[in-house]
Amino acid sequence: MKTQAKKTIAIDMDGVIADVEPQLIKYYEQQYGVTTTLEAIQGLSHAEAFPLDAITKASLNMPGFFRDLPLMPGAIEAVKKLMEDYEVYIVSAATEFPLSLFEKLEWLKEHFPFISWRNVVLCGDKSIINTDYMIDDHCKNLDFCPGKAIMFNAHHNKHEHQHVRVHNWDEVLELFENERSKSELSI
Amino acid sequence: MKTQAKKTIAIDMDGVIADVEPQLIKYYEQQYGVTTTLEAIQGLSHAEAFPLDAITKASLNMPGFFRDLPLMPGAIEAVKKLMEDYEVYIVSAATEFPLSLFEKLEWLKEHFPFISWRNVVLCGDKSIINTDYMIDDHCKNLDFCPGKAIMFNAHHNKHEHQHVRVHNWDEVLELFENERSKSELSI
């Protein structure tokens, strides 16, 4: 049997393995005294959902914002499972927010200690990232992916329909289970 | 005339735009009281050149190490020049050294303020980076490059001969001048 290199998956952080929406709501309220809810921001862009923060993105530049983001439910178990068959890279658009870089590594070390620093990419745009799959919540990232693009559902991407959509990590695992069945059929 | 997307170049930081060798020698002397010279380390690997630091890589984890690296001569002007015709990305293997991330961005902001955060990639291995050219001082990075790999001369790569070698930024510009002549001939 020929040994083949594992196929690669680029997995985004914010909105995919880290649940950024409740944190945005919390910081927005603390900074601007305006309360919103998960329900209220569905279908809105970031700028529409958090208009007072749209220009400065001050919330995202506050120390601690990225360090204690809640986990997306099921992410740890699902990533572990995917790593059995795929080479998984965490690819996060982070260089816009310099304070986030160290915090993101610390967050990963806490929640995903089984992911090596070798497999972490903190970048600006993702246009030079080349993986067989990319799981992300932004079209601006997925549109460049030379492999299969998978859109993770988020409040701001409800109206984007050019990529396969998953709503949670169970659906990600289902999708990869189907990919495996397809590739077994084609052997 | 058809407008084509610019070709892309991934440019490494340490040993390519940042002159890491004198800083290594300085930190090694400060930490271990052992003096070495640029001449003495030519042809040696990092572990051979700095044996006491080989396992812990303590020097590279010290605050400030990456923040005040000297510039590689001619790098600023050459990168500016390349940006006229190419989409330039700074791609640095940095996630092994968490403290380096913020310092590298600050260093870039000081010396290369004309490079956007969108074009900065701080990663572990570079195997999923897809650019038309890669300028780097390590085979472990260049070997994966799907485009043209260009090895920037360093003490530790003297014995590696599988990639085109440049010794300084003037030679980089010459190489790209030749690339341009070739592509004009082929039109």
Side-chain angles (χ1 to χ4, degrees):
Chain A
M1 212 171 75
K2 198 177 141 198
T3 311
Q4 272 201 309
K6 283 177 175 177
K7 286 197 171 184
T8 50
I9 310 176
I11 299 179
D12 183 29
M13 289 182 76
D14 306 325
V16 176
I17 58 172
D19 194 0
V20 81
E21 294 180 3
Q23 188 85 325
L24 281 167
I25 289 172
K26 182 174 140 192
Y27 272 66
Y28 197 66
E29 183 164 10
Q30 282 172 359
Q31 276 202 281
Y32 304 104
V34 178
T35 307
T36 185
T37 63
L38 282 177
E39 293 67 34
I41 64 173
Q42 296 309 305
L44 302 185
S45 70
H46 180 87
E48 288 167 340
F50 307 102
L52 299 172
D53 203 42
I55 295 168
T56 63
K57 296 187 183 169
S59 295
L60 300 167
N61 280 304
M62 287 186 77
F65 182 91
F66 292 96
R67 181 59 191 91
D68 63 350
L69 284 177
L71 271 161
M72 197 64 86
I76 293 175
E77 301 72 17
V79 171
K80 261 189 192 161
K81 176 98 183 118
L82 290 175
M83 284 171 69
E84 293 171 10
D85 298 309
Y86 297 91
E87 188 70 24
V88 168
Y89 286 85
I90 301 298
V91 181
S92 176
T95 50
E96 185 178 3
F97 310 107
L99 290 180
S100 77
L101 300 165
F102 184 77
E103 294 188 8
K104 278 171 182 271
L105 280 197
E106 290 289 299
W107 189 91
L108 284 171
K109 211 192 293 176
E110 180 185 345
H111 299 293
F112 294 80
F114 47 89
I115 293 180
S116 160
W117 57 264
R118 290 180 182 79
N119 290 45
V120 177
V121 180
L122 303 173
C123 56
D125 75 41
K126 299 189 183 177
S127 60
I128 61 168
I129 302 300
N130 181 16
T131 49
D132 297 301
Y133 299 89
M134 177 177 277
I135 308 173
D136 206 292
D137 61 334
H138 282 285
C139 278
K140 67 181 176 191
N141 299 324
L142 293 167
D143 289 350
F144 287 107
C145 178
K148 181 162 189 165
I150 300 161
M151 171 163 274
F152 206 96
N153 189 64
H155 72 85
H156 57 77
N157 67 28
K158 301 270 180 203
H159 306 305
E160 314 277 359
H161 302 294
Q162 61 264 55
H163 303 293
V164 175
R165 181 180 298 267
V166 290
H167 294 83
N168 53 54
W169 277 96
D170 283 343
E171 288 188 19
V172 175
L173 289 181
E174 261 173 58
L175 184 149
F176 279 94
E177 198 50 53
N178 289 339
E179 289 292 300
R180 201 217 307 250
S181 311
K182 274 195 284 179
S183 82
E184 280 170 3
L185 279 173
S186 70
I187 289 170
Chain B
M1 211 173 76
K2 198 179 142 196
T3 311
Q4 272 200 309
K6 283 179 176 177
K7 287 197 172 184
T8 51
I9 311 176
I11 299 179
D12 184 28
M13 290 183 76
D14 306 326
V16 176
I17 58 172
D19 194 0
V20 81
E21 295 180 2
Q23 188 85 325
L24 281 167
I25 289 172
K26 183 175 140 192
Y27 272 66
Y28 197 66
E29 182 165 9
Q30 283 173 358
Q31 275 202 280
Y32 304 104
V34 178
T35 307
T36 186
T37 63
L38 282 177
E39 294 68 34
I41 63 172
Q42 296 309 304
L44 303 184
S45 69
H46 179 87
E48 289 166 341
F50 308 101
L52 299 172
D53 203 42
I55 294 168
T56 63
K57 296 187 182 169
S59 294
L60 300 166
N61 280 305
M62 287 185 77
F65 183 91
F66 292 95
R67 181 60 189 90
D68 63 350
L69 283 178
L71 270 162
M72 197 62 85
I76 293 176
E77 300 72 18
V79 170
K80 263 190 191 158
K81 177 97 185 118
L82 290 174
M83 284 171 69
E84 293 172 9
D85 298 309
Y86 297 91
E87 188 70 24
V88 168
Y89 286 86
I90 301 298
V91 181
S92 176
T95 50
E96 186 178 2
F97 309 109
L99 290 180
S100 77
L101 300 164
F102 184 75
E103 294 189 8
K104 279 172 181 272
L105 280 197
E106 290 289 299
W107 188 91
L108 285 170
K109 213 192 291 176
E110 180 185 346
H111 299 293
F112 294 80
F114 47 89
I115 293 180
S116 160
W117 57 263
R118 289 181 181 80
N119 289 47
V120 177
V121 180
L122 303 172
C123 57
D125 75 43
K126 299 189 183 176
S127 60
I128 60 169
I129 302 300
N130 181 17
T131 49
D132 297 301
Y133 298 91
M134 177 176 278
I135 309 174
D136 206 291
D137 62 333
H138 282 285
C139 278
K140 67 181 177 192
N141 299 325
L142 293 168
D143 289 350
F144 287 107
C145 177
K148 181 162 187 162
I150 300 162
M151 172 163 274
F152 205 96
N153 189 64
H155 73 84
H156 57 77
N157 65 29
K158 302 270 181 205
H159 307 304
E160 315 277 0
H161 301 294
Q162 61 266 53
H163 302 294
V164 176
R165 181 180 298 269
V166 290
H167 293 84
N168 53 55
W169 277 96
D170 282 344
E171 288 189 18
V172 174
L173 289 180
E174 263 173 55
L175 185 150
F176 279 94
E177 198 50 53
N178 289 338
E179 289 291 301
R180 201 218 304 250
S181 309
K182 273 195 284 182
S183 82
E184 279 170 4
L185 279 173
S186 70
I187 290 169

